[in-house]
Amino acid sequence: MSALSALETALENRWDALRARMSGRDPLELVDALRRECDSNAVVCHAGRVMVPNAYDVELSAPVHEELTRRGDSVGQVLTDRLARHAARNGYEWAGPLTVHVRRSAEVPNGRYRVASTVMRHVSAVGFRRAAQPVDG
């Protein structure tokens, strides 16, 4: 990671922490959970390419969902943007178009969330392996 990238990350984290304190919520924790999910499912392929899942599901308890959507911003888009920047900084390649789907869940305990990732169904395993092969040219 370059010094400039590290500085950008540090400033972004500080800004998120300040905004969280001012608004009474902690979105940084959710962004970090998405980053960990991405990192833990990274697959190193041929020629040093690192592929990561492209579909992320975020399940929120009702109070957390209400708090995050009250602002009117598209929570899914904000999380998608943050995850895309994380992947770019780490040199990750998506297994397909990146999506972050946020939904309310009665199964998630109050004040918590759950994050999971998959390779989007329309991206076949064969295509995933083929993407990892070096390109002749």
Side-chain angles (χ1 to χ4, degrees):
M1 180 182 291
S2 72
L4 185 57
S5 183
L7 177 62
E8 178 187 8
T9 301
L11 289 173
E12 184 177 283
N13 289 343
R14 296 288 184 236
W15 177 249
D16 284 346
L18 177 62
R19 189 172 19 182
R21 275 190 219 124
M22 292 174 66
S23 65
R25 60 182 175 269
D26 193 2
L28 186 58
E29 185 179 342
L30 188 53
V31 172
D32 282 344
L34 278 168
R35 289 175 182 158
R36 281 191 306 275
E37 180 71 16
C38 180
D39 293 343
S40 67
N41 288 292
V43 176
V44 178
C45 302
H46 296 276
R49 293 174 66 187
V50 180
M51 302 292 287
V52 292
N54 62 315
Y56 293 80
D57 291 314
V58 178
E59 296 178 74
L60 303 172
S61 64
V64 173
H65 186 271
E66 292 299 321
E67 179 66 26
L68 289 176
T69 56
R70 187 178 326 168
R71 295 179 18 199
D73 292 344
S74 172
V75 177
Q77 187 60 53
V78 170
L79 295 174
T80 300
D81 293 344
R82 293 291 175 89
L83 194 55
R85 284 198 299 265
H86 173 71
R89 280 193 294 266
N90 288 292
Y92 294 160
E93 294 182 41
W94 303 110
L98 174 61
T99 62
V100 177
H101 182 255
V102 179
R103 69 181 178 93
R104 180 187 333 226
S105 174
E107 298 173 11
V108 177
N110 192 20
R112 301 300 306 157
Y113 56 86
R114 188 175 2 210
V115 176
S117 64
T118 60
V119 172
M120 200 173 287
R121 286 186 211 146
H122 72 273
V123 179
S124 69
V126 172
F128 189 78
R129 283 192 298 273
R130 196 173 301 135
Q133 299 298 320
V135 177
D136 295 331

